[in-house]
């Protein structure tokens, strides 16, 4: 056997999904090959130089809590850090970082290179090899055969991709990296339903051509906790972004060039995301909106390139100049790279189990944008789950399936595999039912034990977790302390809280809306030596106790349905009482449990009752 | 659907029978029973005769309870064996619903039994029959006829809430957009609008009112077509002054009569005609009001000389057209011909009225809530919206949580879920994204 061609796991693609998948599998002891068309695409931030944001920031925290890499790599390379939604409630606090896209790539590549069991290979995967039941490896376009027990497809936007700038198109991937021309055929042969999605990116411009004095400064937030639970602080949170707006002139230019926009001429056929519209789409759909925001973000510390967020477009290059020049501060713009739209092949994710393994072929996993998602964080999350589950499959262990009640990752994968998606899927906090529990501050509480069980949480990470857990326990004990009225009267009066004549526990004081844990800390000299993160978590848990209890109760009920398993071999056509639509959907999705079944559109509560009866008759589902 | 609440339902088929069984399941059901039933059994599995003290009624009944896990559902359960018939069981159920229970979903007792590991082959046998039977009952009750219009109303409410949630959620998911984010005042206004509409819909839930107060039946028609005579015949004694002189009935008269298990409140009205008599004019105004407020209108024609009268009233779905004076001229079997004088077909008229009530065709507005499950969903929606209002000073995520709960309660009627709708609405209405 040749060491270069025999693997446990082959990961196709080295983007954010591929990196997490490969690291997870290799760290779980699997000999893992990462195959990418170009190794310079490892961890490449093809769109904006930013990680996190609403819901996505929570996902990064979850990846970290499970033992993934994204949070660690973000902390290493970030140049600005902010907490979005401060003042809107802890359920929606979401961290977001601006990162140096070049060091993000090189740090990630370095991490992969240094990981034992992990091999990197520049090659285009042309075909997935398999027998009737399972995958056996891949064949490269260059003609080499690589054997493996499992294959994770994390092809991103590279499958048959094509970029579009006006009338000019080019059959390449993001930023001109070569695309993957052969694999789609292999996917079709294996029975995948292949569709075509579209996304886009704005121009990159030279910093010296921008008059930042005409723009609004967007600095980072001070005192931000790092993304990774492993880190105490981050260093480089000190660079600014800038905000400007489109003008009436911008909109006029765009409108008078609608006829040249590939988006409207029919040249673009892929389905684009509604939440990430190009500027021509925004002007078209929201004609009465007078201006649109433009954020200018640094691409890195060793480059003068600036990313122009909000200006994604596929207009002809010359029109792009006119558009950009109409924006205050960009009159003298030097465009370095054009904005472009990109179309690519992806699959219908309902073909996958919640483990992300293909239902028709054992050992084949799909993760990231190939599954119809959008975003680095969504991709990384799937990669992590696919990588862990490739290892679990090899070891004959139960796959990791996260629930809607324990993580955004659970919501993400459940949505994808239960409902599918008709456009690139982006995570949003409004997609989660139990938002107050799926917070960014408690991802470790929710997931680190699970990660530990699956073997990806290192001793170091676990020790950090246990320490924080102990801290929160001690803080909670301190909060039980009674304070006499004379000792809180002063504080309450200063904070505008009604003073009462009974002694109060510190915890009860904290429940008052104007009293923070910091107030208690300062007033009574408490909580010395505890980490800010532990204090924050306890504070939120106390202040939102009622809501949290409510969600927990809902989850308990939710889990009753989730725990009733539906065996894979059920033939729904044979269950009398099910409506035809329900039979078809159930046969297609093959839900893992009653809860998942109930979330399939077209399966009614009455159908669920029929399933319950069926399960009981056959003594299944226990 | 929440699985932790106490659920209740009538578990015998709707209709006439010697007894009807009303049962509850869930933690707390025994406590609820104790508060309503006098002479509660001291031990589980013991049947006791006592009194069910409901709202506006009290009746002898038997009661037995089962302790978790030794019950059908595996939860604490209580069964009341009430006197048979529609009214008593419903009144008991309504009492339970107003005392902390919510109406069981279709097949929910079975579902709970299953989720709690209590199902075995023996009880499964009968379940499919029950599911079938339940859908037959639903069809009989005109459920399907109503759902179209009701869905419309509920969707309208959901639509408003979806708008509101989208406005809140866009602020949470897209905090950095150049948008005019929703203010607390706007949330309050939207909430109060939806609450009012929900309340209006609930107010139409006259099933309870019909059970308690009876069904209001206005008798209208031209002067001297025999309205008052018909009333007398319907109730079985002379109540109205009957003369041959047009316009004898100057005031609305009402009289009640219990037919089978429903109380009919007949309202005799003054004949509709133009008159210069002031007193009679007032009477005519009252008649118009009576028609508006009625659940059912009996439009009486003089069978002797029918002409196209009162077309508007005739077209109203709550109207039953009646041709009087069948003793003089019979109009055949296609129309309802009665004779107030001889009593011919008067029993049939009562049956027609009764059927119309059962079919749910009675309506004092375009949509009426008749289904207790719908009432329950609407009530829970209202409670959630009230709570949203109470926490208006809290952060948006908390307000959203309550509104979502309200949305979901409505969704239980239409079978939709909030998340996708809200996400779609955000993208429809707001220009967001990089």
């Amino acid at each position: 056997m040749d060491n270069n061609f025999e693997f446990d796991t082959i990961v196709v693609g080295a983007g954010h999904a591929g990196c997490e998948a490969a690291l997870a599998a290799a760290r779980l002891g699997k000999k893992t090959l990462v195959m990418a068309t170009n190794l310079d695409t490892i961890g490449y931030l093809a769109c904006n130089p930013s990680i996190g944001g609403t819901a996505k920031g929570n996902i990064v925290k979850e990846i970290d809590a499970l033992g993934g890499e994204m949070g660690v790599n973000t902390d290493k390379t970030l140049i600005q850090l902010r907490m979005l939604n401060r003042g809107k409630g802890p359920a929606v606090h979401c961290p977001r970082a601006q990162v140096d896209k070049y060091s993000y790539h090189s740090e990630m590549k370095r991490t992969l290179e240094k990981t034992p069991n992990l091999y990197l290979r520049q090659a285009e995967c042309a075909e997935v090899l398999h027998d009737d039941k399972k995958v056996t490896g891949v064949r490269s376009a260059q003609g080499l055969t690589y054997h493996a027990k499992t294959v994770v497809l994390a092809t991103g936007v590279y499958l048959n991709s094509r970029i579009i700038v006006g009338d000019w198109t080019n059959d390449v991937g993001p930023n001109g990296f070569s695309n993957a021309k052969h694999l789609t055929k292999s996917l079709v042969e294996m029975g995948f339903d292949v569709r075509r999605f579209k996304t886009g990116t704005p121009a990159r411009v030279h910093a010296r051509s921008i008059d930042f004095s005409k723009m609004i400064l967007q600095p980072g937030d001070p005192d931000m906790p790092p993304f990774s639970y492993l880190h105490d602080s981050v260093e480089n949170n000190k660079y600014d972004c800038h905000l400007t707006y489109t003008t009436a002139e911008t909109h006029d230019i765009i409108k008078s060039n609608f006829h040249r926009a590939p988006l409207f001429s029919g040249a673009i056929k892929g389905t684009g995301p509604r939440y990430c519209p190009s500027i021509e789409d925004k002007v078209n759909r929201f004609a009465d909106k007078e201006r649109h925001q433009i954020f200018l973000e640094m691409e890195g510390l060793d480059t003068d390139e600036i990313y122009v967020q909000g200006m994604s477009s596929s207009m002809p290059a010359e029109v792009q100049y006119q558009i950009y020049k109409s924006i205050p501060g960009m009159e003298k713009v030097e465009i370095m790279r054009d904005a472009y739209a990109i179309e690519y092949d992806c699959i219908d994710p309902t073909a996958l189990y919640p483990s992300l393994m293909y239902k028709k072929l054992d050992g084949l996993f799909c993760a990231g944008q190939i599954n119809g998602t959008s975003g680095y964080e969504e991709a990384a999350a799937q990669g992590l789950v696919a990588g862990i589950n490739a290892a679990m499959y090899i070891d004959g262990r139960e796959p990791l399936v996260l629930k809607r009640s324990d993580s955004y990752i659970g919501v993400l994968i459940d949505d994808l595999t239960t409902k599918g998606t008709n456009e690139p899927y982006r995570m949003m906090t409004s997609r989660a039912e139990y938002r107050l529990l799926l917070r960014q501050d408690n991802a470790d509480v929710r997931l680190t034990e699970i990660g530990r069980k699956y073997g990806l949480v290192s001793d170091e990470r676990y020790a950090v977790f246990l320490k924080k857990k102990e801290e929160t326990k001690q803080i909670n004990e301190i909060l039980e302390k009674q304070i006499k009225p004379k000792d809180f009267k002063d504080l309450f009066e200063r904070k505008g809280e009604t003073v009462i004549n009974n002694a109060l526990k510190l915890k009860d004081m904290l429940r008052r809306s104007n009293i923070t844990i910091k107030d208690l800390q300062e007033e009574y000299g408490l909580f010395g030596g505890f980490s800010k993160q532990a204090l924050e978590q306890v504070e939120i848990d106390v202040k939102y106790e009622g809501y949290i209890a409510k969600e927990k109760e809902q989850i308990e009920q939710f889990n009753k349905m989730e725990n009733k398993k539906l065996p894979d071999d059920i033939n729904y056509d044979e269950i009398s009482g099910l409506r035809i639509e329900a039979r078809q959907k159930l046969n297609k999705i093959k839900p893992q449990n009653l809860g998942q079944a109930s979330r399939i559109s077209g399966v009614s509560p009455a159908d669920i009752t029929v399933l319950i009866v069926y399960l009981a008759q056959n003594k299944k589902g226990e | 659907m929440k699985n932790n609440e106490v659920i209740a339902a009538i578990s015998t088929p709707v209709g006439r029978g010697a007894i009807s069984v009303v049962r509850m399941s869930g933690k707390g059901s025994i406590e609820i029973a104790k508060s309503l039933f006098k002479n509660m059994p001291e031990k589980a599995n013991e049947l006791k005769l006592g009194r069910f003290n409901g709202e506006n009624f009290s009746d002898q009944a038997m009661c037995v309870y089962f302790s978790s896990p030794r019950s059908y559902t595996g939860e604490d359960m209580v069964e009341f064996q009430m006197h048979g018939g529609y009214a008593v069981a419903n009144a008991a159920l309504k009492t339970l619903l107003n005392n902390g229970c919510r109406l069981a979903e279709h097949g929910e007792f079975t579902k709970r039994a299953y989720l709690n590991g209590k199902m075995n082959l023996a009880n499964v046998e009968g379940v499919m029959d029950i599911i079938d039977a339940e859908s037959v009952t639903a069809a009989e009750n005109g459920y399907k006829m109503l759902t179209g219009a009701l869905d419309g109303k509920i969707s309208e409410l959901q639509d408003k809430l979806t708008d509101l949630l989208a406005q809140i959620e866009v602020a949470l998911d897209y905090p950095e957009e150049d948008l005019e984010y929703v203010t607390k005042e706007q949330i309050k206004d939207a909430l109060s609008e939806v609450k009012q509409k929900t309340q209006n819909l609930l107010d139409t839930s006259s099933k309870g009112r019909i059970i308690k107060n009876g069904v209001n039946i206005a008798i209208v028609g031209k002067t001297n077509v025999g309205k008052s005579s018909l009333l007398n015949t319907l109730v079985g004694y002379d109540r109205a002054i009957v003369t041959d002189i047009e316009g004898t009935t100057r005031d609305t008269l009402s009289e009640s009569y219990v037919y089978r298990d429903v109380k009919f409140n007949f309202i005799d009205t003054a004949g509709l005609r133009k008159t210069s008599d002031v007193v009679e004019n007032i009477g005519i105004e009252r008649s118009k009001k009576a028609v508006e407020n009625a659940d059912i209108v009996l439009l009486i024609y003089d069978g002797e000389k029918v002409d196209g009268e009162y077309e508007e009233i005739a077209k109203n779905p709550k109207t039953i057209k009646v041709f009087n004076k069948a003793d003089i001229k019979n109009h055949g079997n296609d129309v309802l011909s009665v004779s107030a004088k001889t009593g011919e077909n008067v029993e049939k008229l009562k049956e027609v009225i009764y059927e119309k009530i059962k079919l749910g065709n009675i309506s004092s507005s375009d949509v009426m809530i008749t289904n207790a499950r719908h009432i329950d969903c609407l009530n829970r929606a209202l409670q959630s919206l009230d709570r949203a209002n109470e926490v208006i000073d809290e952060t948006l995520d908390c307000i959203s949580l309550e509104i979502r709960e309200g949305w979901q309660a409505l969704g239980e009627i239409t079978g939709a879920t909030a998340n996708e709708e809200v996400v779609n609405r955000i993208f429809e209405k707001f220009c967001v994204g990089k």
Side-chain angles (χ1 to χ4, degrees), chain A residues 378-439:
Chain A
E378 289 87 340
Q382 294 170 67
L384 177 68
V385 170
I388 291 173
N389 286 338
M392 293 305 118
Y393 168 81
I394 292 167
D395 292 345
R397 286 176 61 189
E398 280 290 302
L400 166 66
V401 175
L402 296 172
K403 292 179 180 169
R404 301 186 76 85
S405 53
D406 57 31
S407 59
Y408 276 95
I409 301 177
V411 175
L412 168 72
I413 295 178
D414 183 62
D415 277 349
L416 291 174
T417 57
T418 307
K419 295 176 182 158
T421 180
N422 292 322
E423 66 177 332
Y425 178 104
R426 178 205 199 273
M427 184 45 73
M428 298 163 72
T429 70
S430 33
R431 295 192 197 271
E433 292 84 355
Y434 312 112
R435 199 158 56 184
L436 266 165
L437 282 165
L438 307 189
R439 302 191 313 265

Side-chain angles (χ1 to χ4, degrees), chain A residues 123-163:
Chain A
E124 180 188 341
C125 174
E127 190 185 352
V128 174
L129 305 172
H130 60 90
D131 58 25
D132 288 350
K133 288 193 67 178
K134 58 180 196 307
V135 293
T136 55
V138 304
R139 194 179 51 78
S140 73
Q142 291 81 1
L144 298 178
T145 298
Y146 300 80
H147 301 286
K149 294 172 189 146
T150 56
V151 172
V152 179
L153 297 179
T155 55
V157 296
Y158 286 81
L159 284 184
N160 276 341
S161 54
R162 182 174 80 125
I163 65 171

Side-chain angles (χ1 to χ4, degrees), chain A residues 65 108 129 146 217 255 270 390 429 469 501 618:
Chain A
M108 188 59 94
L129 305 172
Y146 300 80
L217 195 70
K255 281 179 199 158
T429 70
K469 199 174 160 190
N501 283 325
N618 294 280

